[in-house]
Amino acid sequence: MTQRLRDLRERWQDPLLTLLTILLAVLMFVLAPLRAEHIPGAQEVGFTLVAVVTGAILILSGRRFAIWALLIAIVLAAVAAIHRLYQPSILDVYLDASAWLLISLALILEVGRAVFGPGRVTYHRVMGAVLLYLAMGLAFAALFTFIGAASDTAFSGFVVKDTSSLADVMIYFSFGALTGIGSGDITALHPIARSLVLLEAMIGQLYPATLLARIVTLEIEDRPRF
């Protein structure tokens, strides 16, 4: 069974990284805006697809912590969806944010091993680096959601509530900080939110340089020596 799992991992893990990168990008930059425009089921479909592919990657990796994190995230998202149908409240925001934070952390831990570990630089590995970047932005979006849900004055220009546009706005704000372009219409006022913005901006600046250095190192190590 162990050998079979290794064979499956070698065959499917890299293509699944590419697939998950595409799905996560579609979820954040296509389906979240569609949900903000009140298209029913858009984000739920995206979450399901991302959870399925993430589960496949984590099962192949064999990391128990990451698998349990994903399972808990799925349960939290399901509870939020059911609770929202009968008695919507700010609790749903906390549950959804917890689910996305767990998925993001699981991806960061597992994909980080694949991206920065030893081995040949491939197209799928580069796509994994993009996936890692998206997962970091999503993790910070979840953290900003926690802060905004706890304090109505955490941000100027936006109040965190359980609305169809919440995910779209939080992703917009998070990636504005991560890429360094900012978001002039929303500003962090809460001290912790400001610290997270600075931390995310630093990561956004350092990650490409660190990744490039690692890729160059791996490429040099993989070259044949005479």
Side-chain angles (χ1 to χ4, degrees), residues 155-174:
F155 302 96
S156 68
F158 184 74
V159 177
V160 173
K161 296 180 180 179
D162 189 19
T163 62
S164 59
S165 62
L166 176 59
D168 183 49
V169 174
M170 287 293 94
I171 290 170
Y172 164 70
F173 180 77
S174 177

Side-chain angles (χ1 to χ4, degrees), residues 144 147 154-156 173 177 187-201:
F144 289 130
I147 297 171
F155 302 96
S156 68
F173 180 77
T187 307
L189 300 179
H190 195 283
I192 297 178
R194 287 180 172 177
S195 295
L196 286 177
V197 168
L198 293 176
L199 177 62
E200 187 174 15

Side-chain angles (χ1 to χ4, degrees), residues 13-177:
Q13 191 164 24
D14 283 352
L16 284 173
L17 285 176
T18 299
L19 176 60
L20 184 55
T21 304
I22 296 171
L23 288 177
L24 193 59
V26 169
L27 172 65
M28 291 192 293
F29 305 126
V30 177
L31 296 181
L34 286 178
R35 189 189 182 197
E37 291 296 321
H38 306 287
I39 304 298
Q43 189 170 343
E44 288 74 12
V45 171
F47 179 87
T48 302
L49 292 174
V50 169
V52 169
V53 179
T54 302
I57 291 175
L58 297 181
I59 289 172
L60 288 177
S61 71
R63 312 287 180 185
R64 291 185 179 180
F65 168 78
I67 294 173
W68 276 108
L70 176 65
L71 291 176
I72 295 172
I74 293 173
V75 171
L76 291 175
V79 171
I82 295 172
H83 186 266
R84 188 177 286 115
L85 291 175
Y86 297 98
Q87 193 178 359
S89 68
I90 196 67
L91 175 63
D92 304 327
V93 174
Y94 284 111
L95 291 173
D96 281 337
S98 299
W100 281 114
L101 181 60
L102 286 173
I103 287 179
S104 301
L105 292 177
L107 282 175
I108 289 170
L109 289 174
E110 181 55 36
V111 177
R113 296 172 185 269
V115 171
F116 289 99
R120 188 167 59 91
V121 178
T122 64
Y123 167 78
H124 295 298
R125 194 167 192 174
V126 174
M127 291 298 290
V130 176
L131 175 59
L132 184 58
Y133 189 79
L134 295 178
M136 288 189 291
L138 192 58
F140 276 99
L143 293 175
F144 289 130
T145 302
F146 280 124
I147 297 171
S151 174
D152 291 341
T153 59
F155 302 96
S156 68
F158 184 74
V159 177
V160 173
K161 296 180 180 179
D162 189 19
T163 62
S164 59
S165 62
L166 176 59
D168 183 49
V169 174
M170 287 293 94
I171 290 170
Y172 164 70
F173 180 77
S174 177
F175 279 88

